[in-house]
Amino acid sequence: MTETPEAKEQSASLERTVARSREIDAELARNPSAFRMLTGDRPTGDLHIGHFFGSLLNRVRLQDLGVQTVIVIADYQVITDRDGVGPIKDRVYSLVADYLAAGIDPAKTVIFTHSAVPALNQLMLPFLSVVTDAELRRNPTVKAELEATDGRPMSGLLLTYPVHQAADILFCKANLVPVGKDQVPHIEMCRVIARRFDERYGRADSAQPVFPAADALLSEAQMILGTDGTKMSKTKGNVIELKMTADETAKVLKKAVTDSDRHITFDPVNRPEVSNLLTIAGLCLDRQPAEIAAEIGDQGAGALKKIVTEALNDRLSTHRERRAGFVEDPGYLQTVLADGNARANQIADQTLEEVRAAMRMAY
Ligand code: TRP
């Protein structure tokens, strides 16, 4: 297979990011307070176990390590590829409940919705001035997201959302962005914007550029698939959401796809469904999936499902209890978000002031 220059550049960029991620991991342990981390979620649905093991736990780990932590609920990003916002308010509070249940501490971490922060959104204008239409059209993540909409025309917001995402990151001068592989092109764009802003508009009186170069931090965690061994998707009914009860979880796992070989082995390439269940059990029990497979041996898929159901329900029980407590107290969730939004506004106002000064627009 011949690779296009674009595909080549994309895999080279990913390689650089992986190498840099490792370096950062080492630096994080030495000097956590040198980092400000920003990451976030689109409120398009409820969080599932992929989010829990793939990102929530890592956010909590970094927060507790002493990294300054900011979480954006990217509500404007919901309308990049669909016509309406859906039950957005419920989804936003559901995210806040999951963050808190997972151990995000609102005294340490700013949780905010970007629609509530005018100065962040205003950064979009100078940022748009430093990128070209061709660069935006080349963005592989935007292309993939457009393709996933089944023939919808590209909206102006979909085309430019990587620039808006750069505003999410740069409004608070974050230098660390934990994301999945698919988001790496956006972090590159964010670095380009920070650099070009400095080249084109300069600085006010400071020796430092207004914006830092942000690094992506890639998760080393093995990707979790849906219970049928394909990508998780709500419409396929293959997802285990954090808000599900233990019984609902058991039901989804009972229907999980396995294969006809009774002897259980960990073989992600040839046995993706069985291996995915072993991966989930491994994450819950903090054990190697292959070791769990060896213990199950010839007892078959029934035994595997029993183990993974128990392990998962056990692992999520504290999260679910705490989550239920928060959901019963919507007033508290509102206060957390209102506080987070107020703090995000303070930070964004300060940054916009610096931007105005750098652009000689402070009148
Ligand atoms: N686009 C991200 C996603 O779909 C969510 C997101 C919005 C984000 N703004 C961000 C992630 C800023 C990291 C930094 O997962």
Side-chain angles (χ1 to χ4, degrees):
M1 205 172 70
T2 49
E3 270 189 308
T4 63
E6 276 167 33
K8 246 188 211 157
E9 168 48 28
Q10 210 183 326
S11 60
S13 151
L14 191 59
E15 256 169 55
R16 281 197 301 275
T17 308
V18 169
R20 179 76 188 122
S21 261
R22 299 233 166 87
E23 275 172 39
I24 292 169
D25 258 331
E27 276 172 49
L28 270 169
R30 276 196 301 273
N31 191 10
S33 60
F35 292 91
R36 174 169 273 180
M37 160 187 123
L38 180 126
T39 187
D41 303 288
R42 286 210 298 171
T44 50
D46 287 302
L47 296 183
H48 51 63
I49 58 170
H51 298 114
F52 184 75
F53 291 110
S55 74
L56 286 188
L57 294 181
N58 192 41
R59 293 178 194 176
V60 174
R61 177 181 74 91
L62 293 169
Q63 166 199 270
D64 293 344
L65 210 59
V67 173
Q68 308 167 59
T69 317
V70 185
I71 300 180
V72 59
I73 300 178
D75 48 359
Y76 273 138
Q77 232 180 65
V78 170
I79 46 174
T80 49
D81 62 355
R82 62 198 74 200
D83 289 329
V85 291
I88 193 154
K89 205 164 169 173
D90 289 346
R91 285 176 175 166
V92 165
Y93 285 119
S94 174
L95 283 179
V96 178
D98 271 322
Y99 297 157
L100 300 180
I104 294 293
D105 174 355
K108 295 185 188 148
T109 293
V110 177
I111 302 171
F112 76 103
T113 44
H114 60 189
S115 67
V117 185
L120 179 158
N121 291 290
Q122 192 171 329
L123 294 177
M124 181 83 168
L125 290 168
F127 287 2
L128 280 171
S129 76
V130 299
V131 298
T132 66
D133 140 83
E135 280 172 320
L136 293 169
R137 287 184 197 279
R138 267 202 303 272
N139 184 304
T141 308
V142 170
K143 277 194 201 161
E145 284 173 21
L146 181 67
E147 269 158 32
T149 64
D150 289 329
R152 258 182 86 101
M154 175 95 86
S155 74
L157 191 61
L158 179 56
L159 183 65
T160 56
Y161 98 86
V163 183
H164 195 248
Q165 186 156 319
D168 288 341
I169 297 167
L170 295 178
F171 92 99
C172 66
K173 305 191 179 183
N175 56 2
L176 189 63
V177 191
V179 281
K181 274 201 296 217
D182 66 308
Q183 298 287 307
V184 169
H186 298 346
I187 312 304
E188 294 262 314
M189 169 115 285
C190 179
R191 295 166 67 89
V192 166
I193 289 172
R195 196 182 62 235
R196 286 193 196 150
F197 181 90
D198 193 48
E199 287 163 359
R200 202 167 294 183
Y201 303 118
R203 305 164 191 185
D205 305 317
S206 156
Q208 296 293 321
V210 179
F211 297 112
D215 278 305
L217 184 66
L218 291 176
S219 155
E220 304 264 342
Q222 166 101 34
M223 253 260 285
I224 302 182
L225 300 168
T227 51
D228 57 358
T230 71
K231 195 172 145 69
M232 281 197 223
S233 128
K234 205 167 172 161
T235 44
K236 287 194 260 174
N238 64 358
V239 178
I240 298 166
E241 289 171 338
L242 297 176
K243 69 163 200 247
M244 284 179 172
T245 62
D247 283 347
E248 286 165 342
T249 303
K251 243 190 218 153
V252 177
L253 283 168
K254 203 167 186 171
K255 284 188 304 197
V257 176
T258 51
D259 55 38
S260 55
D261 187 350
R262 253 196 96 70
H263 186 71
I264 299 301
T265 52
F266 183 64
D267 180 356
V269 174
N270 298 308
R271 305 183 73 185
E273 303 92 350
V274 162
S275 301
N276 183 53
L277 295 178
L278 288 164
T279 297
I280 297 171
L283 286 167
C284 295
L285 299 167
D286 202 8
R287 293 185 58 196
Q288 291 304 320
E291 217 179 272
I292 301 171
E295 273 172 24
I296 300 171
D298 288 327
Q299 295 176 78
L304 169 59
K305 287 185 182 182
K306 186 162 178 284
I307 286 175
V308 69
T309 303
E310 270 174 23
L312 189 56
N313 280 335
D314 200 39
R315 181 69 183 80
L316 293 180
S317 69
T318 310
H319 181 93
R320 286 169 165 167
E321 249 168 60
R322 297 182 47 159
R323 186 185 199 286
F326 291 124
V327 169
E328 269 171 36
D329 190 356
Y332 177 67
L333 295 177
Q334 271 166 11
T335 309
V336 167
L337 192 54
D339 283 355
N341 283 340
R343 281 157 73 197
N345 269 294
Q346 275 171 5
I347 300 169
D349 287 345
Q350 163 73 37
T351 302
L352 186 59
E353 222 169 274
E354 290 173 44
V355 164
R356 286 199 179 107
M359 297 179 78
R360 312 299 187 264
M361 287 176 170
Y363 309 115

